[in-house]
Amino acid sequence: MGLFQKIKNMFQKNETEKVVETKEEEVAKEAPLAVKLDSPVEEVKPNVDLIVKELKEEERILAERKRKQEEEAQKESEKSVKVYEKGLSKTRQSFVSKLVELTNRSEKLDDAYFDQLEEILIMADIGVHTVMEFMDRLRSRVKKEHITDLEYLKEVIVDELFIVYVGEDVLSDKIQYAKEGPTVILFVGVNGVGKTTTIAKLGWKLKEEGKKVLLVGADTFRAGATEQLRDWAERIGVSFVGKGEGSDPSSVIYDGCKKALEEHFDVVLIDTAGRLQNKTNLMKELEKMNHVIGKLIPGAPQETLLVIDATTGQNGIQQAKSFKEITNITGIVLTKLDGTAKGGIVLAIKEEVNLPVKYIGLGETKEDLQLFDIEKYIYGLFKDLM
């Protein structure tokens, strides 16, 4: 409460007391038997010094709370950076060591240097198209700025790779939450990419943030998929909806969305089958799912995330292109990035499919699923050069 409001309230209290006093005097005049006050009530003056002191104490408490929140956020950020460093170590050791080796053995910036750099980038699975565009930008900048220092060129390479991802497009790498009612996130992807495990890790993460989470097992085609997700729900302590193998996926989703509305869940995470072999059937199935979700929860699903195994390299890019043709993909979850030396796939996905990477898996523990941050990614990739 502000100083002005506190003083205002006290004066309003005094005015009320005056009105009561006046009415009592009028009653006393009209009724002879009424008892008159011996002396008028003294007006209580507000203690401004006390109010100011209280306000200063409130400000101190708020400042202390803010400081603690900032400290916690800083600790979480530092923890996240370490996860990136560890998770990208294979790519960093492979890519950066080759870049350093190239720089050490080269005497000048010539076509031979650029050709070898191009090869290193392609081997990191950044993608041929992305590499070609990157090399054109790099050559142009070297010529324009008259760059001859090979050590400085390493910094320029990092800058340009950052620009390749950010570009001119405004792509949101944050999850879009519903303003009211449940937020529904649909997960798609071929079998074996880590979809079910990713859902469980994200469910745990959201629960830790204080959200009420519901997992829905709508992958009724893969043997054991429903039970696997049910087990995960029990382990992380969140609710679950699922039916037996062979059930209609949309009926499972209907039950899940209904439960989410009735029991006021914040987030619904839905696992789906990834039968990419038959695009037409999968498209119809996803259309039906989206229709069921949207009918029960208008505006949902807020996100449709495609889960890709980073170790599959360019095959993962093809999966992204295929799924993008049959449904509205809003973002990518890139799993098993810690298990490959080709972490450049992050840049290739953005360039070739124009989809933001929203989460990356950098290990097997629940904490290793991280919100994607391009600055932490670039740092984790080029830490040894900085």
Side-chain angles (χ1 to χ4, degrees):
M1 185 183 292
L3 175 60
F4 173 78
Q5 191 62 39
K6 282 194 173 184
I7 294 174
K8 180 181 176 182
N9 288 349
M10 292 191 71
F11 274 117
Q12 285 177 339
K13 182 180 177 183
N14 290 338
E15 290 299 324
T16 302
E17 290 172 351
K18 286 182 182 179
V19 171
V20 172
E21 182 184 341
T22 303
K23 287 185 178 179
E24 287 177 346
E25 289 175 354
E26 289 174 356
V27 170
K29 288 179 182 177
E30 293 174 4
L33 296 176
V35 179
K36 293 185 179 182
L37 294 173
D38 294 334
S39 59
V41 178
E42 291 185 9
E43 183 179 341
V44 179
K45 294 182 180 180
N47 189 334
V48 177
D49 290 339
L50 179 61
I51 294 172
V52 170
K53 185 178 179 181
E54 288 176 355
L55 281 173
K56 285 183 177 179
E57 179 61 17
E58 284 182 16
E59 289 175 0
R60 187 194 67 76
I61 292 171
L62 288 172
E64 179 65 16
R65 189 179 301 162
K66 184 180 178 182
R67 184 186 66 79
K68 287 182 178 179
Q69 288 173 344
E70 288 174 349
E71 283 182 358
E72 284 299 316
Q74 181 64 26
K75 286 179 183 177
E76 282 300 313
S77 179
E78 289 173 0
K79 186 178 177 182
S80 177
V81 167
K82 290 186 183 299
V83 174
Y84 269 83
E85 284 181 32
K86 183 182 176 183
L88 291 168
S89 60
K90 284 188 177 180
T91 300
R92 183 170 65 251
Q93 288 163 10
S94 173
F95 177 68
V96 174
S97 63
K98 289 176 183 176
L99 182 59
V100 170
E101 186 183 334
L102 172 61
T103 303
N104 290 341
R105 71 168 182 262
S106 300
E107 296 180 358
K108 60 180 180 178
L109 278 176
D110 53 15
D111 289 340
Y113 178 92
F114 285 116
D115 289 343
Q116 290 176 70
L117 175 60
E118 186 178 300
E119 186 179 334
I120 291 172
L121 293 170
I122 291 173
M123 291 301 291
D125 236 350
I126 292 176
V128 176
H129 177 73
T130 309
V131 171
M132 293 299 105
E133 184 177 312
F134 168 78
M135 293 305 300
D136 288 342
R137 290 178 60 94
L138 185 64
R139 288 175 188 269
S140 175
R141 184 166 170 183
V142 166
K143 185 177 180 180
K144 184 179 178 181
E145 297 181 17
H146 306 290
I147 297 172
T148 57
D149 185 349
L150 289 168
E151 286 300 316
Y152 174 62
L153 183 66
K154 289 190 290 190
E155 295 180 24
V156 174
I157 290 170
V158 175
D159 287 345
E160 290 299 325
L161 285 173
F162 180 84
I163 293 168
V164 163
Y165 186 86
V166 176
E168 297 178 357
D169 299 316
V170 180
L171 293 177
S172 174
D173 56 3
K174 303 291 188 296
I175 294 296
Q176 303 302 310
Y177 288 100
K179 291 182 179 178
E180 55 182 45
T183 294
V184 180
I185 304 176
L186 199 64
F187 288 82
V188 298
V190 301
N191 292 336
V193 295
K195 192 160 73 273
T196 306
T197 306
T198 295
I199 292 170
K201 287 180 179 180
L202 181 56
W204 173 81
K205 210 173 191 67
L206 295 172
K207 182 197 170 191
E208 289 295 297
E209 292 173 7
K211 293 180 173 62
K212 189 177 181 181
V213 180
L214 175 66
L215 306 189
V216 178
D219 181 357
T220 58
F221 293 94
R222 182 170 66 87
T226 300
E227 287 306 312
Q228 185 186 359
L229 194 63
R230 189 195 306 274
D231 290 344
W232 266 113
E234 290 176 1
R235 285 165 63 183
I236 64 176
V238 300
S239 298
F240 173 80
V241 168
K243 290 183 180 179
E245 190 178 326
S247 302
D248 178 14
S250 293
S251 72
V252 180
I253 289 174
Y254 178 88
D255 291 347
C257 290
K258 191 176 178 184
K259 181 181 177 70
L261 287 168
E262 291 173 351
E263 300 182 24
H264 306 290
F265 280 87
D266 298 311
V267 185
V268 182
L269 306 178
I270 303 175
D271 190 11
T272 68
R275 300 174 302 154
L276 195 54
Q277 298 89 337
N278 191 322
K279 286 187 183 180
T280 304
N281 286 352
L282 184 57
M283 184 187 298
K284 288 179 181 177
E285 194 176 288
L286 289 170
E287 282 176 356
K288 185 179 177 183
M289 289 178 179
N290 279 290
H291 177 72
V292 169
I293 295 168
K295 195 171 181 181
L296 283 171
I297 306 174
Q302 281 72 23
E303 297 277 359
T304 299
L305 302 181
L306 172 61
V307 183
I308 294 176
D309 179 347
T311 63
T312 61
Q314 290 300 306
N315 188 36
I317 302 289
Q318 293 306 314
Q319 290 172 26
K321 289 178 178 178
S322 296
F323 271 97
K324 195 177 179 184
E325 288 173 5
I326 62 178
T327 194
N328 179 34
I329 303 296
T330 59
I332 301 287
V333 180
L334 203 56
T335 64
K336 309 177 188 179
L337 201 57
D338 60 308
T340 179
K342 298 183 176 183
I345 189 175
V346 172
L347 302 173
I349 286 174
K350 163 62 173 58
E351 182 66 22
E352 297 193 31
V353 244
N354 199 34
L355 286 171
V357 175
K358 300 214 172 188
Y359 284 94
I360 56 174
L362 294 164
E364 295 183 0
T365 69
K366 298 188 294 292
E367 295 83 359
D368 290 328
L369 181 70
Q370 292 282 319
L371 264 172
F372 181 70
D373 184 307
I374 182 59
E375 292 182 357
K376 291 176 184 175
Y377 168 78
I378 292 291
Y379 176 78
L381 210 56
F382 296 101
K383 173 179 173 284
D384 297 341
L385 291 181
M386 297 177 180

